[in-house]
Amino acid sequence: MTVQQFKPLDYQRVAAEAVVDCFEGQPRVEGLSYQIDPGRERSAQMALIGETGFRNAAVQLSEAQLLENVRRVQMREHLPPSDKLVSTRAAPINFDVEMETGTGKTYVYIDTMYRLYERYGWSKFIVVVPSVAIREGVFKTFADTEAHFQERYGHKVRRFIYDSGRPEPILAFSDSPGLHCMIINTQAFASEVNAEGKESKTLRMFREMDAFQSRRPIDLIAGNHPILILDEPQRLEGAKTQEALSRFRAPIALRFSATHKTRHNLVHRLDALDAYTRKLVKRINVRGVTVKGLTGVHGYLYMSDIRVSADKPPEARVDIETVLNAGKVKRTARWLKKGDDLHNLSGGLAAYEGHTVADIDAVSRTLSFTNGVVLEEGRVQGQADEAAVRRVQIRETIRAHFERERLLYRRGIKVLSLFFIDEVAKYRRYDDAGAVAGEYARIFEEEYAAAIDELPQLDPTDEAWFAYVKRDDPASVHDGYFSIDKAGRLTDPPVNARGDEKGEAKDVSSYDLILKNKGRLLSLDEPVRFIFSHSALREGWDNPNVFTICTLKQSDHEIGKRQEVGRGLRISVDDFGRRTDGPEVHDINVLTVVASESYEDFAKSLQAELTKALEGRPREASVAYFTGKTILTATGSRELIRDEANALHRWLIRSDFIDERDHITPAWHEAKATDALPPLPESLAADAEGVIALVDTVLDQSALSRMTGTAHGTVTPSLRRANLEKAAFQELWSRINQRAVYFTDFDTDRLVAAATRRLDQDLKVDRQVIIVSGAELKTDIGVEDVRAGKGFQEEKARFQHEQAAVVTNVRYDLVGELAGLTRLTRGTVGRILKGVRQDTFALFSKNPEMFLRGTAELIRREKIALAIETLRYEKTGEAYDVAIFDTDRRDLPVGAVLAAGKHVLDHVAVDSSKERAFAQRLEAADEVVVYAKLPKGFSIPTPGGGYNPDWAIAVETAETRSLYFVAETKGSALKEALRTDEKQRIDSAAAYFRDVADRVTFSQVADYDQLMQLITNG
């Protein structure tokens, strides 16, 4: 059993803080007591005594204060500022949090609960979800993260799933202090209220019950004024659901989703593009399986949906085959109505003669033709090639699994592959003798055995993985996760036929089995690596180690591509449950989708969905967009003035980072990836990190196409053992592979003096700013100016600063906090704070949090700078094994590699055109005997963090001298702070090679010509 470990992640902290900061100024009031309605069945004595409950305190901020907070958070998050607070029937305050699937939104809203409780005392929460599947997954996440959050906050949240038949948790929710959360799916209450607000007495939420002393559960719950957390709110927008939510009398609704349908006050956004570019989810590869050369003679039919409207008869969405002008046959989807003739619609295909629509039944979900043929929703007719297509899909899934598993097994990462099917009988059948393998199980075992026999000749380093593969027979490496009937047999789950839950299973036991075995499936000791499950259970799968997804059923337009890949986007964990999110995150975490359509069609559909989801992102990196935007600085945040926006825009143009329409170009992404951004304008250089983050908020449409790659366009480098075994490389490797630790002796008095001087010089914190802006209507405008919104001439903004100190109830141990952040003693921190000027220390009252963060960062920089002055390294006696070149192998896009003859692998990864040119020169140079791009696992410890050099090169000159080089070819860093950090790491690496690697030259070179100068100089 592998237990997943959790750790605080910065991007999740930012999301939670965005919500919490919207209530800045709200006093902390915990456990506001009130008398609970005693009910009619209590004794007179008990009624007299009363029963005390603990409800959430009311929001005490005015609407203007709350809106000001929201706008401040939105500016910080680079979001369009709201002009008003949006009220709904669910709650008067509604904040949207957008988080891409797989980034941990459940974790974030649990963390948000803890933070709201810690900061404001709000303790009663209700998580509302749209389905049983999500409810069960949320409850499991609460359980999995309980120990983690208890360690962080010192207490637990008492959580339960709403069940009106169990009054104890509901009573405890009302009458107990502390942090409480109820989890409820809409089916448990929304079906009991109609759109007009009339409550049904048929179910329990709105019924007086004996177990509640003749009280109604809804009244007990609503008396706590709970805060609502709406998970997937776009699926909770029905009139009945909204009316039912209003019964909770919630003051606040926090809405978490990747795909908001209705916008309220958006306070945080981590969309699909952000999640991908920041490597917070897996990369996506697609293998399309399609049939070409369709004959059109089988009468292919597939009905995927029936739509009903008030003003016209039902229509059915049916895939049919049509003949094109050139005689080719293609499958297309059409909405059919009564009387439609498929023979005509298909272009005259004889197989459809007599197929005129006679009836469409929205209740039984069937379509009848005049010739007596009846078509059921979700069923395929006339697909003679289906069995062959499914076999190829299974074969490709096994191949993709082996390719990923071969790379990750040595890292201790369990690889899982997931098949979704539409009926249990295709996986397992039952006869008088018991269970029998279904069609897909039989095909899988045949293809799995064949794949093992066809495995290529392995390197010796793959022997462990090969033994792992051969350990288990084909029948034991797969299993089925379905509903189970009373006889213990696998069965198709009951499925919702309509509504937002259409196609999802109703059966709780189905999800119980999936969630129960989640940890066991993560263990390398568990033989099951391939999982078959019903497509109706898709929402229940949330295992981070799913690396391949294959849907063995007709492509369904009801299931979006984002939803199809969503079950496998989470970052994987290793055999110890640790998240694999280091520098190689996108080398390890690649999701392969084996689709029953072409790669082009799948990618096109996915990118269309992403484009729609990203429609709120700005498209133009213009002066107007940059002006007034808030950027983060080393000591807080500030707004860009127009002159700075102009300077940034000109810099982007000069660097070819934007085109004539102010759209981001690929050159921007390449320069960032290789740390080759040119220096920013002087006015922006000190705050480069925030400026770069601001530019990244502009949507680059071309980036969407890079999110989805074809699995057939990758290369997995193989070892060149002859190069590894060359005497020149063995000698070079023995000199540089020594592990070492560093020591430093800096004078504390010098640190105190340097840090004090740096704080007085550079520490800045934000003051409250009131912006007065205006505009004048131009006199020479035309119609196009009005349409383009350019009719006004913007006036210069005026900034008015609020001088008053920040008033807060939070008590700070400033010395203790700084000691923890800087890893200095309290005495040293105290000396630094005593030494700063009075006006510097007074900044603490202006913005305590910003003062704390900025002070810690500036002290840390001075500490590193002093440490490097006396830095020395000593060997530990341990060394990196040459096998690191094998264990760090990964599949790479074809365009990101160079075929190599002198490298220790047959392909070398190149991250930029500069690296490609350097590697090409190494390949062509007669003097270069062998070289290696050092793997990311090769890291030198430095005071500023781990450092990974670029190249190790062995050279023999005409004088037969053997020279050994470690060369660094990184370009200029992306910001001043990073330039400083990078320089400090390079200086530290120079000390490492000086002390540890005898006769090895370490140098930073711009290109091969500079390396040649080093060689010439000996």
Side-chain angles (χ1 to χ4, degrees):
M1 175 73 74
T2 296
V3 178
Q4 187 172 351
Q5 300 179 24
F6 295 89
K7 62 181 179 181
L9 299 173
D10 188 62
Y11 76 90
Q12 294 175 334
R13 173 192 59 78
V14 170
E17 287 182 350
V19 175
V20 175
D21 288 349
C22 288
F23 300 99
E24 178 68 40
Q26 168 79 14
R28 189 179 194 282
V29 180
E30 181 179 352
L32 192 66
S33 62
Y34 72 103
Q35 184 172 341
I36 298 175
D37 176 10
R40 293 202 298 268
E41 302 299 324
R42 303 293 297 273
S43 67
Q45 181 180 1
M46 289 300 297
L48 182 63
I49 297 173
E51 189 176 7
T52 301
F54 298 89
R55 64 162 57 120
N56 286 332
V59 177
Q60 297 185 25
L61 301 176
S62 68
E63 185 171 329
Q65 289 173 312
L66 195 56
L67 181 59
E68 182 182 355
N69 286 345
V70 169
R71 288 171 62 87
R72 186 181 297 115
V73 169
Q74 290 170 330
M75 294 291 284
R76 183 180 79 199
E77 298 272 332
H78 304 305
L79 299 172
S82 299
D83 55 4
K84 65 178 181 179
L85 297 178
V86 179
S87 179
T88 68
R89 281 186 288 179
I93 299 170
N94 295 267
F95 294 154
D96 294 340
V97 177
E98 181 178 332
M99 293 192 70
E100 175 61 2
T101 302
T103 58
K105 67 176 168 56
T106 307
Y107 178 99
V108 168
Y109 64 64
I110 295 174
D111 189 27
T112 302
M113 290 181 203
Y114 276 96
R115 291 173 182 269
L116 290 172
Y117 176 63
E118 292 286 302
R119 196 154 163 187
Y120 308 120
W122 288 327
S123 60
K124 304 299 174 70
F125 296 86
I126 299 177
V127 175
V128 183
V129 300
S131 69
V132 172
I134 298 176
R135 185 194 73 192
E136 296 301 304
V138 167
F139 191 69
K140 183 69 164 60
T141 301
F142 267 91
D144 290 346
T145 58
E146 182 177 75
H148 164 74
F149 282 116
Q150 184 175 21
E151 182 179 354
R152 285 186 61 189
Y153 293 102
H155 60 92
K156 301 178 183 179
V157 56
R158 295 177 62 178
R159 82 279 179 188
F160 68 99
I161 292 176
Y162 167 78
D163 180 353
S164 58
R166 295 180 60 244
E168 294 82 7
I170 299 174
L171 291 170
F173 183 77
S174 299
D175 63 22
S176 299
L179 186 56
H180 291 255
C181 179
M182 182 178 82
I183 306 163
I184 188 169
N185 54 297
T186 55
Q187 297 82 359
F189 68 92
S191 60
E192 304 178 40
V193 179
N194 62 26
E196 289 73 39
K198 185 176 180 180
E199 298 166 353
S200 168
K201 308 296 184 187
T202 57
L203 296 177
R204 295 182 172 184
M205 174 67 85
F206 300 99
R207 198 170 75 195
E208 293 181 353
M209 299 168 56
D210 292 341
F212 289 86
Q213 288 82 46
S214 296
R215 296 173 293 188
R216 305 189 310 169
I218 185 62
D219 294 330
L220 281 175
I221 296 167
N224 299 284
H225 298 171
I227 293 175
L228 297 182
I229 293 180
L230 307 183
D231 192 328
E232 303 294 336
Q234 74 279 4
R235 296 174 56 182
L236 306 173
E237 295 190 356
K240 289 172 60 176
T241 302
Q242 289 294 303
E243 184 61 38
L245 288 173
S246 71
R247 297 299 196 268
F248 290 119
R249 301 206 302 270
I252 303 165
L254 306 177
R255 302 161 179 268
F256 288 78
S257 177
T259 53
H260 290 278
K261 186 185 297 182
T262 302
R263 294 289 185 180
H264 303 88
N265 297 112
L266 180 64
V267 298
H268 180 74
R269 178 173 61 201
L270 177 62
D271 58 31
L273 188 58
D274 286 333
Y276 175 77
T277 55
R278 293 169 62 182
K279 301 182 180 180
L280 306 178
V281 294
K282 290 188 179 89
R283 284 196 294 128
I284 303 171
N285 278 341
V286 181
R287 297 190 180 194
V289 179
T290 54
V291 178
K292 291 188 176 181
L294 297 172
T295 62
V297 299
H298 299 291
Y300 173 84
L301 295 169
Y302 170 66
M303 182 171 68
S304 60
D305 193 20
I306 293 177
R307 65 185 179 191
V308 179
S309 59
D311 56 350
K312 58 183 178 181
E315 295 180 314
R317 189 180 193 273
V318 179
D319 290 2
I320 65 172
E321 292 178 345
T322 57
V323 63
L324 306 179
N325 292 334
K328 293 183 178 180
V329 175
K330 181 180 180 181
R331 287 175 182 165
T332 57
R334 292 181 177 271
W335 284 100
L336 302 181
K337 61 184 181 299
K338 185 176 180 178
D340 281 345
D341 182 355
L342 296 195
H343 182 258
N344 292 333
L345 293 175
S346 68
L349 289 176
Y352 292 120
E353 287 186 1
H355 281 73
T356 299
V357 179
D359 182 53
I360 299 173
D361 190 332
V363 177
S364 64
R365 315 296 289 182
T366 58
L367 181 152
S368 304
F369 294 100
T370 53
N371 60 2
V373 173
V374 177
L375 185 61
E376 298 178 21
E377 184 179 33
R379 300 282 182 171
V380 178
Q381 293 186 14
Q383 186 175 6
D385 51 32
E386 181 178 9
V389 170
R390 302 302 174 229
R391 180 177 286 274
V392 172
Q393 282 186 274
I394 292 171
R395 181 183 303 153
E396 286 295 319
T397 300
I398 294 170
R399 287 177 176 173
H401 179 103
F402 278 175
E403 290 170 7
R404 180 77 5 212
E405 188 176 71
R406 182 174 176 176
L407 293 172
L408 300 187
Y409 175 74
R410 60 177 68 94
R411 299 173 183 263
I413 300 172
K414 175 74 172 287
V415 173
L416 299 174
S417 293
L418 183 57
F419 294 99
F420 286 119
I421 65 178
D422 55 3
E423 58 179 324
V424 171
K426 291 181 178 177
Y427 179 72
R428 186 166 298 166
R429 297 182 295 104
Y430 295 90
D431 57 21
D432 294 339
V436 180
E439 176 188 4
Y440 292 162
R442 178 179 50 80
I443 292 174
F444 172 84
E445 292 179 15
E446 293 170 356
E447 292 294 332
Y448 185 86
I452 290 180
D453 291 340
E454 294 171 3
L455 286 176
Q457 185 66 35
L458 303 173
D459 290 328
T461 51
D462 281 324
E463 288 180 354
W465 170 70
F466 192 52
Y468 170 69
V469 172
K470 298 286 285 184
R471 181 189 70 187
D472 306 304
D473 61 84
S476 64
V477 299
H478 67 94
D479 201 0
Y481 284 74
F482 304 93
S483 294
I484 300 175
D485 63 18
K486 294 180 180 179
R489 296 181 173 187
L490 302 183
T491 185
D492 293 324
V495 175
N496 292 296
R498 55 181 60 85
D500 287 334
E501 295 78 43
K502 179 183 176 182
E504 293 180 11
K506 302 177 182 178
D507 183 18
V508 177
S509 67
S510 307
Y511 303 111
D512 286 344
L513 183 64
I514 293 171
L515 296 170
K516 177 181 178 182
N517 291 335
K518 179 178 177 180
R520 179 169 63 81
L521 288 171
L522 290 172
S523 172
L524 289 166
D525 295 330
E526 165 60 40
V528 173
R529 290 138 60 216
F530 296 86
I531 301 153
F532 288 80
S533 191
H534 200 288
S535 57
L537 302 175
R538 186 187 306 271
E539 286 282 4
W541 280 101
D542 197 21
N543 195 304
N545 283 30
V546 170
F547 285 90
T548 313
I549 293 177
C550 176
T551 301
L552 296 171
K553 61 187 291 288
Q554 190 68 26
S555 181
D556 190 344
H557 86 285
E558 288 290 315
I559 305 296
K561 302 307 177 191
R562 289 182 73 189
Q563 185 179 352
E564 192 163 337
V565 304
R567 298 306 93 199
L569 284 179
R570 286 183 58 198
I571 298 298
S572 62
V573 299
D574 64 17
D575 203 30
F576 296 99
R578 298 172 301 201
R579 179 180 166 94
T580 59
D581 59 355
E584 301 170 280
V585 57
H586 265 186
D587 301 328
I588 294 171
N589 290 278
V590 182
L591 173 68
T592 299
V593 179
V594 181
S596 57
E597 58 188 308
S598 70
Y599 155 72
E600 291 80 7
D601 288 345
F602 187 97
K604 182 179 178 181
S605 297
L606 177 59
Q607 288 162 23
E609 291 179 27
L610 292 171
T611 299
K612 183 177 181 180
L614 297 170
E615 58 188 9
R617 288 277 290 267
R619 259 66 170 178
E620 296 177 358
S622 63
V623 174
Y625 173 68
F626 293 141
T627 302
K629 287 295 183 294
T630 300
I631 60 170
L632 294 178
T633 68
T635 57
S637 62
R638 68 178 185 86
E639 292 184 359
L640 288 187
I641 61 175
R642 190 173 185 85
D643 287 347
E644 291 174 322
N646 271 314
L648 174 57
H649 186 253
R650 289 193 297 270
W651 177 77
L652 291 170
I653 293 174
R654 285 197 309 271
S655 306
D656 292 326
F657 293 152
I658 57 176
D659 60 20
E660 65 277 2
R661 295 179 298 171
D662 288 341
H663 292 171
I664 298 293
T665 66
W668 166 257
H669 300 287
E670 180 177 337
K672 274 204 316 166
T674 58
D675 292 342
L677 291 175
L680 279 163
E682 185 177 352
S683 61
L684 299 171
D687 301 321
E689 182 176 11
V691 173
I692 302 308
L694 174 60
V695 177
D696 275 336
T697 63
V698 180
L699 175 64
D700 173 16
Q701 193 74 24
S702 68
L704 295 179
S705 62
R706 294 191 292 273
M707 290 176 64
T708 310
T710 169
H712 299 294
T714 60
V715 173
T716 303
S718 298
L719 290 173
R720 285 196 180 277
R721 293 208 162 272
N723 287 345
L724 276 174
E725 294 168 359
K726 283 183 177 180
F729 184 78
Q730 291 292 316
E731 181 65 24
L732 168 61
W733 183 244
S734 68
R735 294 175 184 273
I736 69 173
N737 70 345
Q738 300 299 306
R739 292 183 182 269
V741 293
Y742 67 82
F743 298 88
T744 184
D745 301 304
F746 62 79
D747 187 287
T748 302
D749 292 338
R750 286 188 62 199
L751 174 61
V752 171
T756 301
R757 186 168 52 252
R758 185 69 181 273
L759 289 172
D760 283 337
Q761 176 181 323
D762 293 337
L763 181 62
K764 296 179 177 64
V765 302
D766 285 354
R767 293 177 292 172
Q768 280 194 329
V769 178
I770 301 171
I771 304 172
V772 181
S773 60
E776 179 183 356
L777 187 64
K778 296 179 183 178
T779 58
D780 56 346
I781 60 172
V783 174
E784 293 304 317
D785 293 317
V786 175
R787 288 175 177 170
K790 299 178 180 178
F792 283 84
Q793 175 70 47
E794 184 177 349
E795 296 177 352
K796 191 171 183 178
R798 301 192 307 278
F799 297 84
Q800 299 182 14
H801 297 276
E802 178 60 49
Q803 300 292 340
V806 173
V807 179
T808 176
N809 294 322
V810 180
R811 301 180 67 179
Y812 286 89
D813 175 12
L814 182 58
V815 174
E817 293 275 1
L818 285 173
L821 292 171
T822 59
R823 297 185 178 180
L824 296 173
T825 66
R826 292 179 67 96
T828 300
V829 171
R831 290 176 59 191
I832 293 172
L833 293 178
K834 286 180 180 179
V836 299
R837 295 194 309 263
Q838 186 175 354
D839 60 323
T840 300
F841 192 80
L843 296 175
F844 176 74
S845 65
K846 300 293 183 184
N847 194 323
E849 287 290 340
M850 194 175 294
F851 180 94
L852 183 65
R853 292 195 299 268
T855 298
E857 176 61 21
L858 292 176
I859 293 174
R860 187 188 71 85
R861 292 186 187 180
E862 291 303 315
K863 179 183 173 184
I864 293 173
L866 287 175
I868 291 175
E869 291 183 9
T870 57
L871 189 65
R872 70 182 190 280
Y873 284 85
E874 292 184 9
K875 298 178 183 179
T876 65
E878 298 178 344
Y880 285 103
D881 193 280
V882 73
I884 193 174
F885 289 97
D886 183 59
T887 57
D888 272 22
R889 286 188 301 142
R890 59 196 186 276
D891 55 340
L892 299 165
V894 171
V897 297
L898 175 72
K902 295 182 177 180
H903 192 265
V904 295
L905 302 176
D906 62 358
H907 289 80
V908 57
V910 287
D911 299 327
S912 65
S913 56
K914 181 178 181 179
E915 280 199 352
R916 181 179 293 276
F918 188 80
Q920 287 172 335
R921 293 289 299 276
L922 291 176
E923 288 288 330
D926 292 336
E927 58 271 11
V928 174
V929 179
V930 63
Y931 71 98
K933 181 83 173 289
L934 289 169
K936 293 179 180 178
F938 182 88
S939 180
I940 298 171
T942 80
Y947 175 71
N948 170 229
D950 282 339
W951 309 90
I953 307 164
V955 172
E956 288 187 0
T957 65
E959 295 80 17
T960 68
R961 290 182 302 157
S962 295
L963 302 175
Y964 307 108
F965 295 90
V966 173
E968 177 63 61
T969 57
K970 289 186 176 70
S972 60
L974 63 87
K975 58 185 181 187
E976 186 197 9
L978 185 56
R979 282 203 303 270
T980 301
D981 287 348
E982 189 74 15
K983 183 178 183 303
Q984 289 175 339
R985 290 193 179 99
I986 291 174
D987 289 345
S988 300
Y992 166 87
F993 287 107
R994 177 198 68 207
D995 297 342
V996 173
D998 182 45
R999 290 179 53 225
V1000 173
T1001 301
F1002 171 75
S1003 181
Q1004 187 174 14
V1005 297
D1007 50 33
Y1008 184 77
D1009 291 335
Q1010 281 196 7
L1011 179 65
M1012 280 298 300
Q1013 291 178 7
L1014 291 175
I1015 295 172
T1016 302
N1017 295 335

